[in-house]
Amino acid sequence: MEGLADPSRVTSKRRLDLQRHFAWSVALLQGFLAACGGGGASDPWFSSTQGELVAKPDGGYFVSDPHFGGHATRVRLLEMGWGRLVDVHDVDQGSAQNPLPVLRDVVIGESWITGGSDVRFETIPSSGRGRLTILRPRGAPDVGNGTFESILERVTVLGPVLPRSADGDALYSVVARNATLVLRFDDLLADGPEERADLHETVRLLSGYPPVVPQPARHLFDPSHGGLADGKFHSTRVLIDFTVSEAEALEVPDFVPVNPIGLPASSFLSAQPNVAVRLPTRIDEANGRSRRLVNLGGRGLEPEGPTDAATGDMVRALRSGSAEDVNGGILLDLDRPEIVGAWDVQVEAARADPMGPPGFGFEVSLRFTTPCRVPARAGDTLEAGGEFYEVRSSSELHGPDGRLTGMRVLRLATEPLSLAESLLGAARFLTVFRSKAEVDPACWVTFVPQPGNPAAAGVDCRSFVRLRFSEPMDPDSVRAFDSFRLFRRGLDSERNLVIGSVRAGQGLQEFDFLPRLPLANHEERFYRVAVPSGPNAARDLSGVPLSTSFETAVFELAPDQPIFRNGGVALRFASKDELPPAGLDDFRGQVTIEADGILYPRPTSFATHIADRSHPIPALMLPFGPGVQTPLSPFGSKLQALWRYVDFGFQVQQENFHNLDVIGLYWSPVGGRVNADFYPEFEMRMAHSRFLPDESTASTSPLHPLSGLLGGPFPFTDNLLQDPRGEQVVVHPRALGYQVLPSELRFSERGTPLMPFPWNRTGAPLTSFTWRDTSVVARAGPASGGIPLDIETNPPLTGSIAPENEVPTIGLPLLWEIRCHPSASGLGFNSFDLLLPVPGFPTPNFRAFSTGGFDQFGNVARVEPDRELVPNGGFNPSSFPPGRPTLFSADNSFYVGAIDTVVRVSRAVTIWIDTGSVAPRFGEPVLEPSRQIGASVVVAEFRGADGFSAEAGGAPFDALRLDPYGDFRPGTVIWHGAGTWSDDVRALEGARYIQVRLSFFNDVANGFSPVLDSLGIAFEE
């Protein structure tokens, strides 16, 4: 395939690869330098300087930071860093962890979760908070292996954030999306209730490209670093916690939405920053800056480093992790997610734990109220009164009612509880999945509403099923056809899958399976929930899969309910043959199935295709030396011209060249000579041609002379394919004009000179036209030989794919229309290179036109293209006398040129699917994943049938016998309704057979492609 030598594309891609490699190299270097320690305030790396551990007057401890007692004349931002937010514990003399943390909300380096001989890291499942235990007693002397304080100094060395502006002209620090940002200042900050409420305004977090959109996060004054003034603790640091749990959202003074993921992912295709912190340094109420960060003396920030000159804001820009980064841009996570059972209990007794910290340690006795019951073990959780309590000791079950007695628990809130009686009453017992627990596997899920006979009998047909995990999960990995499934009749077959969708809770720890229709109970009341483990299981945010699972759990519907009859069809793309009949492909098109069971479209790719004599069919044409002026005429012009698939060297059935989005157009100047010119009003339109010219000859005359475009008296619009989905598209609006610049002249690999038309070269938003669009179902090509063309093949192959007047869009030409408005600034000195398909004969027509000029009397005749409804030809300056009208308003002039294309859309169609129901009523289809990356999208469309003619045989059910439009030959479809495609499957009520067309739209700007993991359609019988 021939293409333009366009070094900018190759260079930009190579540049992107180098940028990504360089960014990773710098990130690794930063991490190494940070691990080696830091310097003073002028040092760009986050300092590891650690002060003394000091007791707070009201309890607890803090690490002292250098400060000016809150009396500095200006406050300075010393440094910024990022890491993981944890509570830090120590151990007692017997090496047992002390229950209450020494320090709360401490940010540590990302890698310390690996533990070792000095520290132990764990995540509390109920809250998701990290807990770092330094395996030394606080205040104990060094016996040769480090003290609590020295180890604390090491673990709090953070990844640095370089001081960079948001103008994009720098190398930016990359920060994990769920990290916590630390801003260290040189003085004690005013951190009272009012300042805490204003913190999201005095320290602003923004995101986006550019970062100007407020990003919700949890802003707090660091409770573990600062100093004392007037006997009170005050912080020297501000923390920005990118993630917000449900419990944390209730604690902050201002409204912050729950956000378990954190920052939006950055685009790996861009080196620009997508996150910025802005710190107002002056009051500007007119522009919404009525507050600023101050010290205890009311003094504000000293503007240092990158600063917005207009607002005075200090700016620190950075990049968040991307989906292409290690761990998906998320903090390193070594914990494998687990399923959590949440079981109803009754707390019958509670008292203060004599061995526990006052107000935090309690002993409780409880009774399980359902058959779901297990012995308690350390690490389980009790949820009572909206608060979480960590189980600190094991406790065996007692009695037939399943009681736990004397169970020691630790309150996980920051404030103590004065009355143990507050724990009494209904509560929930949370425990992670135990593979050997003697409980019904259905105990590990929850039915809503609760079944009449817990845990898994008497389930309502309208129920949904809830699954809880130990940590936030990637919502795209918890899917109704793969990792969280329901089966009817207890059989693991695709025909018995319950069609439904999965809804994620706001904290991404609870997920609900929502059946599209009530569960059918007309044949069988038993169903199964399947939650597999292993590589295809649900994954956490960093991509770690579920460790173990119950795999399957049986439940029974309650009797004496209304009878529901329904079924469903599911495609999981584990293979090409999942639907009956066995052994035949289920779908065909511009998609591929990978080993992961996912349907992938063609990736975004750009190309330039040349229409010149380097290809076999144009090579048969003869050059026309003088060329023509049309359409660049100062007197106005309207031109319709076309290019066929053969003119670019394509074969009609090469599906990689179907559904091509044209995004640019070129013309070829005669002899490579280009004159500068300017047309302030210049419009371009694209469409499919109704006509398919075929210049094959019988003897010396054209065999299909009427196969080309129509000239006058027929209107221009008669040359357009008539289809609601294939209308003519304005791709370059008139007002954008056209400036012809000789510097833009390029040459193809074979030396053809090419000049770009202005389409997509003016800085306006990208426009495109999908040529050979298989969603356009109109047929055309009158008076032609059909496809393949006569000129490219010989009978009997001519027209074997589609005969005359039945040619689909894959065989119809690209019809481009130019409207050049009259202009005093236009010169019209450029000549377009032409070829003549059949020398000596003006047909078949490859163009139709009207162009102004001087008539034979010397008068100026202008063409206003918007008013030119019919092709009227032009004026021949070489006639005698000069200026006679051209003999024809349409002729066989073939323009040499090229097109730029991008793969934006890929299409596939399924076989006709037999629902087996006489008159089904369809529910909304389910496509997974429900969210796609970037602006990419998958669109499903449907059409219905009541049956097929006898001569169709098995063709409707064999994808290899379908064409790109989903049609087949021989045989006909007995349509249900109009037989048109619709994106609303519910409109096909009563159709026994349905067919699905899938359109995958790439995010061309960012290079993202959508995927399809599963497709399900439920129906009532």
Side-chain angles (χ1 to χ4, degrees):
M1 180 181 70
E2 184 180 6
L4 279 178
D6 188 351
S8 65
R9 286 188 185 136
V10 177
T11 303
S12 61
K13 182 179 186 303
R14 177 60 179 159
R15 186 188 308 119
L16 176 61
D17 290 339
L18 291 173
Q19 286 173 343
R20 292 179 63 192
H21 177 75
F22 186 45
W24 271 113
S25 300
V26 171
L28 291 173
L29 176 61
Q30 291 175 355
F32 171 78
L33 291 174
C36 293
S42 63
D43 196 309
W45 314 111
F46 197 96
S47 173
S48 62
T49 301
Q50 190 77 36
E52 295 180 357
L53 196 62
V54 181
K56 291 182 178 179
D58 56 352
Y61 293 86
F62 71 91
V63 177
S64 62
D65 266 345
H67 60 84
F68 295 97
H71 302 299
T73 56
R74 298 290 280 178
V75 180
R76 296 179 61 210
L77 173 63
L78 298 180
E79 56 192 350
M80 291 176 58
W82 65 274
R84 185 189 308 272
L85 191 66
V86 300
D87 292 337
V88 177
H89 293 247
D90 69 344
V91 295
D92 60 22
Q93 295 300 326
S95 298
Q97 180 196 77
N98 283 315
L100 294 184
V102 177
L103 299 169
R104 294 186 184 273
D105 290 328
V106 175
V107 181
I108 65 171
E110 178 185 18
S111 63
W112 285 98
I113 66 170
T114 54
S117 59
D118 296 328
V119 299
R120 181 176 66 247
F121 177 83
E122 57 189 326
T123 302
I124 303 172
S126 57
S127 64
R129 289 183 65 86
R131 175 192 286 157
L132 186 80
T133 303
I134 297 178
L135 304 177
R136 306 286 190 278
R138 175 187 53 81
D142 190 355
V143 293
N145 55 359
T147 64
F148 175 91
E149 290 76 11
S150 65
I151 296 172
L152 177 64
E153 182 176 345
R154 294 205 307 270
V155 301
T156 52
V157 174
L158 307 181
V161 174
L162 301 177
R164 297 289 186 259
S165 67
D167 59 12
D169 188 21
L171 182 67
Y172 292 92
S173 300
V174 180
V175 173
R177 297 173 59 192
N178 60 337
T180 297
L181 203 61
V182 182
L183 290 75
R184 184 168 76 91
F185 300 90
D186 71 343
D187 202 6
L188 300 180
L189 302 173
D191 54 1
E194 184 176 346
E195 287 80 10
R196 288 197 296 271
D198 292 341
L199 198 51
H200 67 287
E201 290 293 334
T202 57
V203 182
R204 300 182 175 188
L205 182 67
L206 306 171
S207 64
Y209 286 102
V212 295
V213 179
Q215 172 65 30
R218 194 168 64 101
H219 296 65
L220 63 154
F221 289 103
D222 188 334
S224 294
H225 289 86
L228 297 176
D230 297 328
K232 294 183 178 179
F233 167 80
H234 295 280
S235 182
T236 53
R237 305 187 184 195
V238 172
L239 307 181
I240 305 178
D241 186 3
F242 299 145
T243 63
V244 184
S245 69
E246 296 179 59
E248 290 168 341
L250 299 175
E251 294 174 355
V252 294
D254 55 317
F255 170 75
V256 179
V258 174
N259 177 10
I261 296 178
L263 296 173
S266 64
S267 170
F268 68 90
L269 295 173
S270 173
Q272 302 299 305
N274 70 314
V275 180
V277 176
R278 296 181 73 96
L279 301 157
T281 63
R282 61 176 182 244
I283 301 298
D284 185 2
E285 294 187 356
N287 291 301
R289 290 172 173 80
S290 59
R291 294 171 293 275
R292 59 179 181 165
L293 196 69
V294 296
N295 64 4
L296 295 178
R299 301 303 183 110
L301 291 171
E302 175 76 25
E304 291 183 308
T307 303
D308 188 327
T311 64
D313 291 355
M314 293 174 60
V315 179
R316 298 295 185 266
L318 52 120
R319 295 182 63 234
S320 66
S322 77
E324 300 296 312
D325 292 342
V326 178
N327 306 322
I330 301 295
L331 286 169
L332 176 65
D333 181 7
L334 300 181
D335 291 334
R336 301 192 70 174
E338 298 179 278
I339 293 173
V340 175
W343 303 334
D344 292 339
V345 297
Q346 188 76 19
V347 178
E348 298 178 322
R351 68 185 183 93
D353 182 0
M355 300 176 60
F360 293 93
F362 300 93
E363 278 189 359
V364 299
S365 297
L366 58 83
R367 173 176 54 85
F368 289 94
T369 59
T370 74
C372 299
R373 56 188 70 162
V374 292
R377 60 185 180 186
D380 290 339
T381 305
L382 180 68
E383 183 182 0
E387 302 282 351
F388 290 103
Y389 297 81
E390 182 183 2
V391 176
R392 303 286 288 180
S393 63
S394 300
S395 181
E396 296 298 324
L397 289 169
H398 300 284
D401 293 335
R403 281 182 163 82
L404 297 175
T405 60
M407 185 173 69
R408 298 175 57 219
V409 297
L410 177 72
R411 179 177 169 83
L412 295 178
T414 57
E415 299 297 327
L417 182 68
S418 57
L419 295 175
E421 289 76 11
S422 300
L423 279 76
L424 299 178
R428 288 200 305 172
F429 182 80
L430 308 179
T431 185
V432 297
F433 175 73
R434 310 182 191 188
S435 59
K436 297 182 180 180
E438 294 182 0
V439 295
D440 190 327
C443 286
W444 301 105
V445 297
T446 302
F447 298 94
V448 182
Q450 191 176 56
N453 186 16
V459 175
D460 192 291
C461 292
R462 301 175 183 86
S463 297
F464 62 85
V465 186
R466 177 168 295 162
L467 191 61
R468 184 184 179 105
F469 295 94
S470 59
E471 60 179 292
M473 304 293 285
D474 177 1
D476 290 334
S477 73
V478 188
R479 299 178 180 174
F481 298 95
D482 292 296
S483 54
F484 185 10
R485 296 183 286 172
L486 262 65
F487 290 96
R488 61 174 57 86
R489 292 185 289 277
L491 301 176
D492 291 1
S493 68
E494 308 309 323
R495 296 291 291 185
N496 289 319
L497 265 175
V498 174
I499 306 302
S501 60
V502 173
R503 177 181 62 193
Q506 60 180 355
L508 298 185
Q509 284 189 259
E510 289 188 337
F511 292 81
D512 297 334
F513 184 102
L514 308 173
R516 274 291 188 259
L517 299 170
L519 299 175
N521 58 356
H522 62 290
E523 291 182 347
E524 181 68 62
R525 297 207 312 269
F526 288 95
Y527 279 74
R528 289 173 28 159
V529 183
V531 181
S533 57
N536 296 323
R539 302 182 303 273
D540 67 14
L541 294 176
S542 63
V544 179
L546 186 67
S547 56
T548 56
S549 171
F550 54 87
E551 299 289 341
T552 184
V554 177
F555 65 94
E556 182 183 9
L557 300 178
D560 303 324
Q561 297 187 74
I563 297 299
F564 296 101
R565 300 175 181 272
N566 56 58
V569 176
L571 282 169
R572 297 181 55 227
F573 307 113
S575 71
K576 280 194 171 185
D577 176 23
E578 295 178 323
L579 300 173
L584 301 178
D585 286 358
D586 297 334
F587 60 92
R588 53 101 62 230
Q590 298 168 311
V591 292
T592 56
I593 291 182
E594 299 295 336
D596 54 6
I598 294 178
L599 209 59
Y600 290 88
R602 299 176 297 172
T604 300
S605 60
F606 295 86
T608 300
H609 306 281
I610 317 295
D612 66 2
R613 299 185 78 235
S614 64
H615 299 299
I617 301 305
L620 301 175
M621 305 177 186
L622 294 182
F624 180 67
V628 296
Q629 181 191 48
T630 298
L632 292 184
S633 169
F635 305 111
S637 180
K638 183 174 182 176
L639 167 71
Q640 286 184 340
L642 57 77
W643 287 317
R644 305 161 299 181
Y645 62 89
V646 294
D647 300 324
F648 299 105
F650 302 160
Q651 300 292 320
V652 69
Q653 290 185 300
Q654 285 179 297
E655 291 195 39
N656 55 317
F657 296 124
H658 297 172
N659 295 303
L660 278 182
D661 266 67
V662 184
I663 56 173
L665 206 70
Y666 299 83
W667 56 278
S668 182
V670 171
R673 296 183 297 273
V674 181
N675 296 289
D677 213 345
F678 177 61
Y679 298 91
E681 296 181 303
F682 189 89
E683 185 175 291
M684 301 179 66
R685 300 184 176 204
M686 297 291 144
H688 285 94
S689 171
R690 176 185 164 205
F691 293 93
L692 177 61
D694 189 339
E695 66 269 36
S696 182
T697 58
S699 182
T700 58
S701 61
L703 186 60
H704 305 282
L706 303 180
S707 60
L709 298 175
L710 297 175
F714 298 98
F716 277 107
T717 53
D718 278 6
N719 289 324
L720 307 177
L721 178 66
Q722 301 301 311
D723 187 285
R725 296 189 64 149
E727 296 179 346
Q728 189 181 41
V729 176
V730 176
V731 295
H732 181 78
R734 164 182 173 175
L736 294 179
Y738 182 20
Q739 184 172 13
V740 182
L741 298 174
S743 60
E744 293 186 335
L745 178 67
R746 296 186 180 184
F747 292 87
S748 73
E749 293 175 353
R750 299 199 178 186
T752 300
L754 293 170
M755 275 294 297
F757 280 111
W759 178 16
N760 285 329
R761 291 181 176 269
T762 61
L766 183 77
T767 59
S768 67
F769 174 76
T770 307
W771 177 39
R772 311 184 79 191
D773 188 343
T774 57
S775 73
V776 178
V777 298
R779 306 286 175 117
S784 71
I787 52 173
L789 298 169
D790 250 326
I791 192 66
E792 67 174 321
T793 186
N794 295 306
L797 295 179
T798 301
S800 59
I801 296 174
E804 170 194 2
N805 216 31
E806 290 296 323
V807 177
T809 53
I810 62 171
L812 294 177
L814 174 70
L815 182 69
W816 45 282
E817 180 175 303
I818 303 294
R819 298 187 182 191
C820 182
H821 292 260
S823 169
S825 62
L827 300 176
F829 293 157
N830 287 296
S831 294
F832 288 69
D833 193 10
L834 297 181
L835 300 175
L836 300 178
V838 187
F841 292 88
T843 57
N845 300 327
F846 281 74
R847 72 166 181 166
F849 67 101
S850 294
T851 300
F854 292 99
D855 65 16
Q856 58 187 332
F857 304 107
N859 299 318
V860 174
R862 290 184 173 84
V863 168
E864 292 289 346
D866 290 347
R867 300 177 184 175
E868 201 74 5
L869 304 181
V870 173
N872 288 305
F875 300 91
N876 185 0
S878 301
S879 66
F880 184 80
R884 286 181 178 274
T886 56
L887 293 177
F888 305 102
S889 59
D891 59 34
N892 67 343
S893 297
F894 177 92
Y895 283 78
V896 176
I899 55 175
D900 281 335
T901 64
V902 62
V903 174
R904 185 182 68 95
V905 57
S906 300
R907 287 198 172 87
V909 290
T910 69
I911 61 173
W912 283 94
I913 301 169
D914 186 357
T915 67
S917 179
V918 176
R921 294 185 297 276
F922 297 98
E924 183 181 354
V926 178
L927 281 74
E928 291 187 337
S930 58
R931 304 178 307 159
Q932 299 290 344
I933 185 170
S936 64
V937 67
V938 179
V939 175
E941 296 169 288
F942 311 87
R943 59 183 179 179
D946 295 323
F948 310 95
S949 62
E951 61 266 33
F957 312 108
D958 183 357
L960 296 181
R961 299 174 65 180
L962 302 178
D963 66 19
Y965 302 84
D967 300 327
F968 55 84
R969 289 190 301 173
T972 57
V973 178
I974 303 172
W975 296 108
H976 183 86
T980 56
W981 293 99
S982 170
D983 58 5
D984 185 3
V985 70
R986 292 168 295 189
L988 303 182
E989 180 176 334
R992 173 172 175 171
Y993 302 92
I994 61 171
Q995 189 179 36
V996 186
R997 180 172 69 193
L998 298 168
S999 298
F1000 297 77
F1001 295 93
N1002 293 335
D1003 179 349
V1004 173
N1006 295 303
F1008 297 141
S1009 295
V1011 297
L1012 187 62
D1013 181 72
S1014 305
L1015 167 67
I1017 304 169
F1019 53 86
E1020 296 180 72
E1021 298 178 348

